[in-house]
Amino acid sequence: MPAQLQLQQSVLHRLIPLLVLVSIAASFPAIRPGPNTIADINQHRTRTRETLQHTPRYEFAYGVKDPITGDHKDRWEKRDGDRVQGVYMLEEPDGTQRIVEYEADGVHGFRAIVTNVPLAKGTRTPHDTTAHSYNMLHATT
């Protein structure tokens, strides 16, 4: 009896891992030629690239006002295809505000106009010690 028991255990020790592997393999879907093969997907992507035109478009704006560090700046930028427009403003330590307006496109490249404007006295409020960040765009629905 012990020899027969050892034989059964030996067979089970070999059979169980084999059954586990077979059940795992059976759980995967079979790969069949058709609309989901790699060649078909790549061919579809190639055709899509030829006919699909993607035009990048975005717009963002933000601002920061920190009375402790004196950091106060605003930025806005908009892109439509190859054309980018934007402006950023920041307060300089010498009491002026730097305003940079820029444009870029595929024909003229990058162009910027830099202006320094003296700030009116009393525009800084050192009494408020709360830093603020804000979005200058209004949500559209």
Side-chain angles (χ1 to χ4, degrees):
M1 208 54 154
Q4 187 178 8
L5 184 59
Q6 280 182 335
L7 180 63
Q8 287 175 344
Q9 287 177 345
S10 175
V11 169
L12 286 176
H13 283 280
R14 291 183 185 151
L15 187 60
I16 289 175
L18 180 63
L19 290 174
V20 168
L21 290 175
V22 168
S23 65
I24 291 171
S27 69
F28 289 109
I31 299 174
R32 297 181 188 103
N36 292 327
T37 62
I38 299 293
D40 289 336
I41 291 171
N42 286 336
Q43 184 178 14
H44 173 72
R45 286 181 181 164
T46 303
R47 281 185 301 216
T48 304
R49 281 191 198 124
E50 291 170 0
T51 58
L52 180 64
Q53 295 280 335
H54 176 71
T55 304
R57 288 189 176 108
Y58 65 80
E59 183 174 6
F60 69 88
Y62 67 88
V64 174
K65 187 169 188 173
D66 186 346
I68 294 173
T69 64
D71 187 21
H72 184 190
K73 57 189 165 199
D74 299 300
R75 181 167 181 203
W76 168 81
E77 185 173 289
K78 179 179 181 179
R79 179 177 182 176
D80 188 2
D82 289 337
R83 184 167 186 220
V84 178
Q85 296 175 280
V87 62
Y88 67 88
M89 299 172 280
L90 60 104
E91 290 183 6
E92 298 281 6
D94 65 358
T96 62
Q97 182 181 47
R98 179 182 302 180
I99 302 169
V100 180
E101 300 171 84
Y102 59 92
E103 280 188 59
D105 59 34
V107 177
H108 300 102
F110 180 81
R111 300 170 313 279
I113 299 171
V114 180
T115 309
N116 288 314
V117 179
L119 289 173
K121 297 225 182 232
T123 56
R124 296 186 183 195
T125 55
H127 306 297
D128 183 14
T129 59
T130 306
H132 302 279
S133 67
Y134 48 90
N135 183 346
M136 300 182 317
L137 293 179
H138 297 289
T140 57
T141 55

